[in-house]
């Protein structure tokens, strides 16, 4: 394994004092990980350095053509003072899936996990301890060739930054209102919807902005071809409880294979619940809502954790869900998942990785 050089900052930043007001993505720690790729040399020069801006040529390809991928994961401080990561192997495997689609050279997954561990340990004093807080880890790779011709990059940077965070949505664990998007589409099969690349999120901004102005927290995307089948919510996968079936859209190339999504499926199945990964039309959800069979809906994601949905709006149809309150399955799932992540509950699946 390559040795990671560590240069510690001489000017540590002031840490946020009120952990109840962290929000999401507002603060960054003192250090970052950086590594370069140059054709012929491969990935090289791994280093942990003081957090600082990158110097980029104005012609850098990432700025023009969006050849960029990223991941989202978290480090958790346990009550005993330990530090846990949650399924980092899954995130690094998915990073390579995204890399493959965007013609970015594969990274060594084990080495990337080692780099993340070392970075988290260097900045471990930044891991917040208040209930529901964690250290968000953002690995990302971007193309830096100074070339405005369109081709796969020969020079890239892999970096990891860290951010102490609280809840992603200001609602916290209170249900969010979601707007079903009929006009814009996020992705289609054959596109990049299954990858974590900035372009997918750029494609979502306009719809999100309009939903926001209409008083909704996020949009629920429908499939890009028939505009019938449910895909995912802006920053999370989505689950519906209809009668006694928990349904989440099947992975068919246009939605993200969420690590929280796969963990929810495993936990729900371990409780003996009927979980289906299948096509689910918005009409089926609307019918179930009308007939009183739509019991709960929730989103899942690293940033959002479990986010109950209290209302869906699809055209003129407004569907209140569980009287706008968190349902028993969403609550139990949240308690179980976060219990494992923060090391408060046993981890029967062997998902957590202790780094301290
Ligand atoms: C995550 O859940 O980690 C994500 O990447 C969502 C994000 C775009 C905030």
């Amino acid at each position: 394994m390559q040795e990671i050089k560590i240069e510690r900052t001489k000017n540590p930043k002031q840490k946020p004092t009120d952990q109840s007001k962290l929000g999401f993505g507002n603060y960054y720690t003192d250090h970052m990980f950086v590594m370069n790729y140059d054709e012929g040399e491969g990935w090289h020069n791994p280093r942990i350095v003081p957090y600082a801006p990158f110097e980029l040529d104005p012609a850098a390809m990432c700025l023009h053509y969006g050849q960029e991928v990223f991941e989202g994961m978290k480090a958790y401080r346990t009550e005993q003072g330990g530090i846990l990561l949650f399924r980092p192997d899954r995130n690094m495997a998915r990073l390579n899936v995204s890399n493959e689609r965007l013609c970015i050279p594969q990274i060594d997954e084990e080495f990337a996990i080692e780099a993340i561990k070392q970075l988290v340990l260097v900045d471990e004093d930044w891991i917040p301890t208040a209930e529901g807080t964690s250290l968000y880890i953002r690995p990302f790779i971007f193309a830096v060739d100074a070339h405005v011709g369109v081709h796969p990059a020969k020079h890239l940077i892999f970096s990891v930054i860290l951010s102490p965070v609280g809840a992603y949505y200001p609602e916290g664990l209170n249900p969010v209102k979601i707007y079903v998007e009929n006009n814009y589409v996020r992705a289609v099969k054959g596109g990049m919807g299954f990858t974590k690349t900035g372009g997918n999120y750029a494609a979502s901004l306009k719809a999100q902005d309009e939903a926001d102005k209409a008083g909704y927290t996020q949009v629920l995307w429908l499939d890009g071809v028939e505009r019938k089948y449910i895909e995912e919510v802006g920053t999370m996968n989505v689950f519906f409880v209809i009668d006694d079936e928990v349904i989440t859209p099947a992975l068919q190339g246009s939605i993200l294979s969420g690590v929280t999504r796969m963990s929810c499926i495993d936990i729900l199945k371990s409780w003996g619940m009927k979980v289906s990964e299948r096509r689910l039309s918005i009409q089926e959800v609307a019918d179930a809502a009308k007939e009183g069979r739509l019991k709960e809906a929730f989103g899942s994601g690293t940033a959002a954790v479990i986010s109950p949905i209290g209302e869906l709006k699809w055209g003129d149809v407004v569907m209140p869900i569980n009287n706008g309150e968190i349902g028993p399955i969403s609550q139990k799932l949240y308690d179980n998942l976060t219990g494992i992540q923060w090391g408060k509950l046993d981890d029967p699946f062997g998902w957590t990785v202790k780094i301290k």
Side-chain angles (χ1 to χ4, degrees):
M1 223 178 247
Q2 300 187 52
E3 191 201 337
I4 301 173
K5 286 192 218 92
I6 301 180
E7 180 198 338
R8 285 178 189 270
T9 182
K10 294 191 178 68
N11 302 299
K13 294 184 256 193
Q14 171 93 42
K15 296 186 183 61
T17 42
D18 186 350
Q19 293 192 358
S20 67
K21 296 210 171 70
L22 286 174
F24 188 89
N26 298 319
Y27 303 95
Y28 295 92
T29 67
D30 282 323
H31 298 88
M32 63 189 199
F33 172 80
V34 186
M35 185 173 199
N36 297 76
Y37 179 90
D38 295 295
E39 196 175 58
E41 234 180 318
W43 287 110
H44 64 96
N45 194 14
R47 56 211 187 266
I48 290 171
V49 292
Y51 187 99
F54 291 110
E55 190 170 298
L56 276 186
D57 193 289
M61 287 176 54
C62 61
L63 301 177
H64 301 270
Y65 306 122
Q67 195 185 5
E68 182 273 350
V69 293
F70 70 95
E71 270 303 320
M73 44 210 287
K74 283 175 173 170
Y76 307 85
R77 178 72 80 182
T78 69
E79 276 165 358
Q80 297 73 32
I83 304 170
L84 300 177
L85 299 180
F86 185 72
R87 311 188 80 178
D89 54 328
R90 291 297 180 155
N91 289 95
M92 291 305 103
R94 189 174 62 186
L95 186 58
N96 268 337
V97 169
S98 301
N99 283 340
E100 204 280 327
R101 178 64 180 83
L102 278 110
C103 293
I104 292 175
Q106 296 282 294
I107 53 147
D108 177 334
E109 294 168 24
E110 252 179 69
F111 179 72
I113 294 172
E114 177 58 29
I116 288 168
K117 282 183 187 170
Q118 291 199 26
L119 179 64
V120 169
L121 287 173
V122 166
D123 275 341
E124 70 159 300
D125 290 349
W126 283 83
I127 306 176
T129 50
E131 177 85 21
T133 61
S134 55
L135 188 69
Y136 188 73
I137 303 170
R138 171 52 63 89
F140 58 111
I141 303 177
F142 55 101
V144 297
D145 304 36
H147 197 264
V148 290
V150 180
H151 61 80
K154 298 179 173 131
H155 308 279
L156 298 105
I157 289 176
F158 173 30
S159 182
V160 184
I161 54 174
L162 307 173
S163 175
V165 297
Y168 184 75
Y169 298 122
E171 289 91 337
L173 199 52
N174 293 320
V176 291
K177 287 167 71 183
I178 303 281
Y179 185 91
V180 182
E181 182 53 56
N182 269 324
N183 189 21
Y184 304 106
V185 298
R186 173 185 173 272
V188 288
K189 214 168 160 179
M192 301 196 300
F194 64 98
T195 69
K196 249 179 137 44
T197 185
N200 287 332
Y201 296 82
S204 76
L205 296 176
K206 181 79 178 153
Q208 193 187 314
D209 189 46
E210 290 182 9
D212 187 52
K213 287 183 179 132
Y216 288 82
T217 308
Q218 286 265 324
V219 303
L220 175 66
W221 295 104
L222 300 180
D223 76 277
V225 179
E226 296 182 69
R227 314 278 175 98
K228 267 189 189 170
Y229 297 99
I230 290 171
E231 299 240 302
E232 63 177 54
V233 174
T235 55
M236 30 186 209
N237 294 114
V238 68
F239 290 74
F240 294 86
V241 185
I242 297 181
D243 297 322
D244 62 350
E245 183 187 11
V246 186
I247 310 158
T248 192
L251 303 175
Q252 289 179 333
S254 55
I255 67 174
L256 197 75
S257 171
V259 177
T260 313
R261 174 189 179 278
M262 63 179 82
S263 307
C264 287
I265 292 172
D266 287 349
I267 293 175
L268 290 163
K269 284 187 175 164
S270 77
W271 295 341
M273 299 201 66
K274 179 175 174 203
V275 186
S276 310
E277 295 177 70
R278 65 166 172 90
R279 280 184 122 189
L280 174 66
S281 70
I282 185 67
Q283 187 65 56
E284 184 180 340
V285 171
D287 290 346
K290 206 164 149 198
E291 292 155 15
R293 295 184 297 108
L294 174 61
K295 304 276 165 55
E296 292 183 42
F298 59 89
S300 71
T302 299
V305 196
I306 300 294
S307 181
I309 299 173
E311 180 184 311
L312 274 182
K313 180 170 159 57
W314 178 39
D316 295 334
V317 185
V318 176
M319 301 172 235
I321 305 173
N322 198 44
N323 300 318
E325 283 165 24
I326 184 167
I329 296 175
S330 314
Q331 181 72 59
K332 189 173 164 195
L333 203 48
Y334 176 86
D335 292 343
N336 220 263
L337 181 68
T338 57
I340 294 173
Q341 289 171 331
W342 271 274
K344 291 182 189 162
L345 295 180
D346 281 348
D347 172 18
F349 305 96
W351 287 335
T352 52
V353 174
K354 192 167 167 48
I355 64 173
K356 187 181 161 185

